Structures are given as C-alpha cells and as structure tokens.
Amino acid sequence: MCMIGYVRVLKPEMKVKDYETYKAVYCSLCKKLGKNYGILSRFTLSYDFTFLALLIMSLKDGCTEFERKRCAFNPLKKCNYCKDTKDLDMPSASAMIMLYYKILDNIDDERGIKRLGYYLLKPIFANAHKKAKKDYPQIEEIVKEYIDTQRQLEKSGCSELDRVADPTAKALSKILSLCSDDEKQKRVLSRLGYVIGRYIYLLDSACDLKQDIEDGRYNVLKYEVDGKPDKYARERITPQLYTCVNEAGLCFELLSIKKYKDILGNIIYLGLEDTFIKELNK
C-alpha cells in the first residue's frame, strides 16, 4: 500500500521546538481522524500522513496556531493541537481510503485466520471509506486505479521491478500534486511524490521478501533472488533507494516552502535514509 510508515523524521537530529511541532501535527491528525471517521480510525495513523499534512501546511502563508488540550487516549496527558484543522481533511481522507483498499488487498492475499480477520475489519471501516470517498472523490479515483493496476501486475506474475513499482509511484505523485494550486509547484510535487512512492514500494518489497517467499506470496524480487533473501534484498535495493532519496532532495529544494522547512528537510535529507538503513538491517 502507498503509505505505510516509512516517511518519518530522524528525531535525534531535530531541535526540540521542531519535534514538538511535528508531534502537534501528528496529534492533530489523530484527533481529526477520530472526529471525521470514528475513534477506531485513530489506530490506523502512520507517520506518512503526518508528512502529507506538514507538506500541505508548509506551502501556505500564515502562522499555524496551536492550543494545549488533553489527549483522548490519555486524559492525564496534555498535547498540542492545531487550532485550524482544515488542512488535515485531505490527509485524513487519504488515510481512510488507502486503509480500506489495503483491507481489500489483504483479503485477496491472505489465507486462513488472517483473511478472516480482514473480512471482519472491512465492515468496520466501510462507512469511513464511504465518507472519505464522498469528500475526496479524486483521491478515491487515484487509489482505486492504483490498486487495480497493481493487482493486475501481481496476478500476472510480473517480474519487472520498475513496472511493478510504477503504480505506487504514480499514485503518490498524483496525491502530492493536490497539495498546491500553483502549476509550477504541482509539477515539483508530482515528481517528489513519484520518487517517494517508488522509495516506499522498493523498501516494502525488500523488507517483505523473506516472509513472502516463505508464505508463497507475490514479491517481484523473488523472481531474481540469489543467495540469502535478506542479503540479496539489501544489495539489490539499496542503490535504488539512494537514487530516490537524492532526487527527493532535489525536488524539495525547488518547492516554495513557507514554514516547517527544517522539519520537512529532516524527513527528506535524513529520515528517508535513516529509515531504509534501519529497516533493511532488521
């Protein structure tokens, strides 16, 4: 699935004030999910959607105001929240649409008790998906097209890495292009989304290779694996991940960032590389 938690900050390299802002946006998005789609939707939040929210907010003028309120999950704790949350509507809708299609995808892929579990989850999130689809039909169309194309490639047993990574890259490209109305910025955002989408697919394929081989599931890398799956995946994918990270940095430099530049820069320049190194070495 498009966004599964690989786009995150490198906390040790952040200033305290920047990390507090990052947490505030994360908590605000969690709260927005609960308000728009029900309390269970809060458990589905990943760092990727925090990146999407920050990106949308960073391209707009004006200062984001925060307020301190109690956390819904821990009433003894107070968190910072955005006062104006309209910029969080699109990321939260994207999260619900992607989640729903992820559930459908897992129903198609899994067997036994795991498959039953996803069947039980489907009706729980059906209403949330319906609302998100109504609010953001363009994202529904993007994700549905991506899923259909991805499924066809996987069912045909496609062994071409670039071809199989393309639907995820294109989906995120189209979603990020919605973050701005400026045509020049849209083109940059589109390319940024493409390379991050490709990064996500490549990294996920590498991390899942060994388990997918054991479980008999599709993984484009298993058609050419040589030697131990973990070692092969690292050697095969690492150079391509560095290419994605470097191009993401070039795209980021072309954006007219008006706020949160240090936070987004941490994600692009440090977080992406740190994440894939840690994930591949697990």
Side-chain angles (χ1 to χ4, degrees):
M1 181 43 71
C2 261
M3 305 180 85
I4 46 182
Y6 292 147
V7 186
R8 53 185 187 252
V9 296
L10 178 56
K11 182 181 175 182
E13 295 296 328
M14 296 186 79
K15 295 178 181 178
V16 173
K17 67 181 182 66
D18 288 336
Y19 186 67
E20 288 300 316
T21 299
Y22 181 73
K23 283 201 305 180
V25 175
Y26 181 92
C27 292
S28 299
L29 192 53
C30 177
K31 188 175 181 180
K32 172 65 77 169
L33 280 167
K35 180 180 178 182
N36 287 359
Y37 304 110
I39 192 168
L40 290 179
S41 67
R42 291 181 177 224
F43 294 99
T44 69
L45 179 59
S46 79
Y47 292 114
D48 299 327
F49 296 102
T50 309
F51 168 74
L52 181 58
L54 279 164
L55 190 60
I56 293 171
M57 296 163 70
S58 74
L59 297 169
K60 297 183 178 181
D61 291 313
C63 179
T64 302
E65 294 184 8
F66 297 97
E67 57 186 347
R68 199 158 181 80
K69 292 185 176 180
R70 295 197 180 276
C71 174
F73 289 111
N74 184 1
L76 299 177
K77 179 183 177 183
K78 284 191 175 182
C79 301
N80 292 320
Y81 296 97
C82 301
K83 282 188 176 182
D84 185 354
T85 61
K86 63 180 182 296
D87 291 330
L88 304 180
D89 285 328
M90 193 268 266
S92 61
S94 300
M96 284 300 96
I97 292 170
M98 288 186 182
L99 171 67
Y100 186 74
Y101 280 103
K102 176 65 175 174
I103 291 171
L104 296 183
D105 193 43
N106 285 340
I107 289 174
D108 194 49
D109 288 345
E110 298 291 354
R111 296 292 181 269
I113 192 68
K114 287 186 178 180
R115 190 177 193 180
L116 176 61
Y118 287 113
Y119 264 120
L120 295 175
L121 282 176
K122 181 182 174 182
I124 294 175
F125 290 102
N127 286 334
H129 169 250
K130 185 177 180 180
K131 184 179 186 301
K133 175 182 175 180
K134 180 180 178 182
D135 293 341
Y136 287 89
Q138 67 273 50
I139 295 178
E140 166 72 16
E141 184 179 345
I142 290 167
V143 176
K144 187 177 186 304
E145 180 184 5
Y146 143 68
I147 286 292
D148 290 343
T149 305
Q150 194 78 58
R151 186 173 290 131
Q152 288 172 13
L153 288 169
E154 292 182 2
K155 286 192 173 182
S156 69
C158 182
S159 60
E160 299 173 45
L161 182 60
D162 289 341
R163 190 178 171 198
V164 178
D166 198 53
T168 305
K170 284 183 176 177
L172 206 53
S173 170
K174 292 177 181 178
I175 289 174
L176 259 63
S177 70
L178 299 174
C179 294
S180 175
D181 295 326
D182 181 271
E183 287 303 317
K184 290 183 179 179
Q185 293 295 286
K186 286 176 80 72
R187 287 197 293 271
V188 178
L189 287 164
S190 176
R191 188 59 189 173
L192 177 62
Y194 187 90
V195 295
I196 290 180
R198 181 177 171 82
Y199 165 95
I200 290 171
Y201 187 86
L202 294 175
L203 180 54
D204 193 47
S205 296
C207 291
D208 290 347
L209 178 59
K210 184 178 180 180
Q211 194 63 49
D212 285 343
I213 291 174
E214 292 175 0
D215 294 344
R217 286 196 296 257
Y218 174 86
N219 189 309
V220 66
L221 296 177
K222 75 179 184 180
Y223 294 104
E224 52 186 57
V225 65
D226 181 21
K228 294 182 178 180
D230 291 345
K231 184 175 183 292
Y232 167 78
R234 285 195 299 272
E235 293 176 350
R236 176 73 172 88
I237 294 302
T238 296
Q240 297 202 39
L241 292 175
Y242 271 117
T243 299
C244 292
V245 170
N246 291 336
E247 189 168 351
L250 294 174
C251 292
F252 181 67
E253 290 172 9
L254 296 174
L255 289 174
S256 299
I257 302 296
K258 297 175 181 178
K259 53 192 175 188
Y260 310 137
K261 191 169 186 175
D262 287 345
I263 303 174
L264 290 168
N266 177 286
I267 295 171
I268 298 294
Y269 296 124
L270 302 174
L272 292 177
E273 180 182 0
D274 179 71
T275 296
F276 85 69
I277 290 174
K278 287 178 178 175
E279 294 294 334
L280 291 179
N281 285 328
K282 280 183 179 178

